[in-house]
Amino acid sequence: MKEALFLLADLWMIFAGYFYGWRFVRRYGNYLLGLEWMVVATSGSNFLLWSLLGAKSDSVLYDVAYFFDAFSRSVGITLILIMGLMKVTHRYKPSLGVDVGVFAVATTAGLFLRHFHGADLHADRAAFSVAVFYVVVNLLTAVFLGYFVKRLWDAGARWQAIWTGLVTAAGTTIAITYDFFPLSFDDANRTIFYTAALATWGTQGFVYFRAYRALHDHNAALDANPARATETLA
């Protein structure tokens, strides 16, 4: 039963990543969010294949899994997420050079930080510092997402605001639990934790897309009615 739930959670994250990532690119031209969503989906696909092939720690898929993990935890679902959402919060339009540059930074971070996964946090000070870094950048991102929730609420997208707040809280809980608070009742492969994590990350992809769409539509309505925009800002 646990294995079936794990597979369903991973398939959900893969679907949400590819489907909504493509829609970010196709509908809104937002390559930052679109490509990051697809990175998450590719990570899930690699994780699924690794699990189905026996989940061996000496597999190249194991190393690839932790590259993707470090990629998104350090820069992807932090800096890239914020920059992507700023398109609807601040009308931010990054240049192609910025898009390429930030993904290059994320790739470099992923290649470097993946080496610290699995180290004993009590004995390895560098690994402990990396784990703290992951939590700090997640918390900073959550602060911006709190602002994003306020923008949604003020725009009248109350349900999207509520769901964004809830899924952000869930994501932060996963981030804190990941390295520092392993579940005592979990198995050696952390099946329960990863099931919860994959389900949460997939739901984040779904909820953030709908929230982005709501704020984009709100901005478009204001652009079409400058008088209403003036009233809103007054």
Side-chain angles (χ1 to χ4, degrees), residues 4 24 31 33 41-42 51 60-61 74 81 92 103 109 129-131 158 160 166 178 180 183 214 224 234:
F24 268 125
Y31 287 90
L33 295 182
T42 303
S51 300
V60 66
L61 296 176
S74 63
L81 174 61
Y92 174 62
F103 275 100
S129 298
V130 170
R158 302 295 171 83
Q160 287 86 347
L166 289 174
Y178 199 116
F180 293 104
L183 304 177

Side-chain angles (χ1 to χ4, degrees), residues 2 9 13-14 16 19 21 24 30-31 38 40 59 73 76 103 123 129-131 133-134 168 170 173 216:
K2 286 195 302 182
M13 189 182 78
I14 293 169
F19 182 75
F24 268 125
N30 194 319
Y31 287 90
M38 292 182 191
V40 171
S59 168
R73 293 177 72 194
F103 275 100
S129 298
V130 170
F133 166 73
Y134 286 144
T168 298
T173 301
H216 175 275

Side-chain angles (χ1 to χ4, degrees), residues 44 48 76 91 101 107 113 132-134 139 146 155 168 180-181 198 207 226:
L48 179 63
R91 313 254 182 183
T107 300
L113 295 174
V132 170
F133 166 73
Y134 286 144
L139 292 173
T168 298
F180 293 104
F181 301 102
L198 293 168
V207 170

Side-chain angles (χ1 to χ4, degrees), residues 53-72:
L53 292 179
K56 298 178 181 179
S57 59
D58 59 350
S59 168
V60 66
L61 296 176
Y62 181 83
D63 292 330
V64 172
Y66 289 113
F67 160 73
F68 281 124
D69 183 75
F71 182 107
S72 289

Side-chain angles (χ1 to χ4, degrees), residues 3-14 48 195 198-199:
E3 288 75 13
L5 290 175
F6 167 80
L7 291 175
L8 286 174
D10 199 9
L11 288 171
W12 162 239
M13 189 182 78
I14 293 169
L48 179 63
T195 298
L198 293 168

Side-chain angles (χ1 to χ4, degrees), residues 1-184:
M1 185 64 176
K2 286 195 302 182
E3 288 75 13
L5 290 175
F6 167 80
L7 291 175
L8 286 174
D10 199 9
L11 288 171
W12 162 239
M13 189 182 78
I14 293 169
F15 166 78
Y18 283 130
F19 182 75
Y20 293 107
W22 173 246
R23 294 187 74 180
F24 268 125
V25 172
R26 179 79 174 184
R27 179 176 293 187
Y28 303 111
N30 194 319
Y31 287 90
L32 288 173
L33 295 182
L35 292 178
E36 174 54 29
W37 262 229
M38 292 182 191
V39 166
V40 171
T42 303
S43 173
S45 300
N46 177 78
F47 199 36
L48 179 63
L49 182 59
W50 174 70
S51 300
L52 293 176
L53 292 179
K56 298 178 181 179
S57 59
D58 59 350
S59 168
V60 66
L61 296 176
Y62 181 83
D63 292 330
V64 172
Y66 289 113
F67 160 73
F68 281 124
D69 183 75
F71 182 107
S72 289
R73 293 177 72 194
S74 63
V75 180
I77 304 297
T78 55
L79 179 61
I80 292 176
L81 174 61
I82 291 172
M83 292 173 64
L85 292 178
M86 284 176 66
K87 187 170 183 179
V88 289
T89 60
H90 294 78
R91 313 254 182 183
Y92 174 62
K93 296 181 180 180
S95 65
L96 176 60
V98 171
D99 285 350
V100 173
V102 73
F103 275 100
V105 170
T107 300
T108 302
L111 290 171
F112 175 71
L113 295 174
R114 69 184 177 88
H115 297 291
F116 296 97
H117 180 83
D120 185 352
L121 300 185
H122 299 288
D124 191 325
R125 181 173 298 179
F128 178 82
S129 298
V130 170
V132 170
F133 166 73
Y134 286 144
V135 173
V136 169
V137 294
N138 182 277
L139 292 173
L140 292 174
T141 304
V143 171
F144 177 84
L145 287 166
Y147 164 75
F148 184 62
V149 167
K150 182 181 184 303
R151 288 293 301 272
L152 287 165
W153 189 271
D154 292 343
R158 302 295 171 83
W159 280 112
Q160 287 86 347
I162 291 170
W163 281 110
T164 298
L166 289 174
V167 79
T168 298
T172 297
T173 301
I174 292 296
I176 295 173
T177 305
Y178 199 116
D179 292 308
F180 293 104
F181 301 102
L183 304 177
S184 60

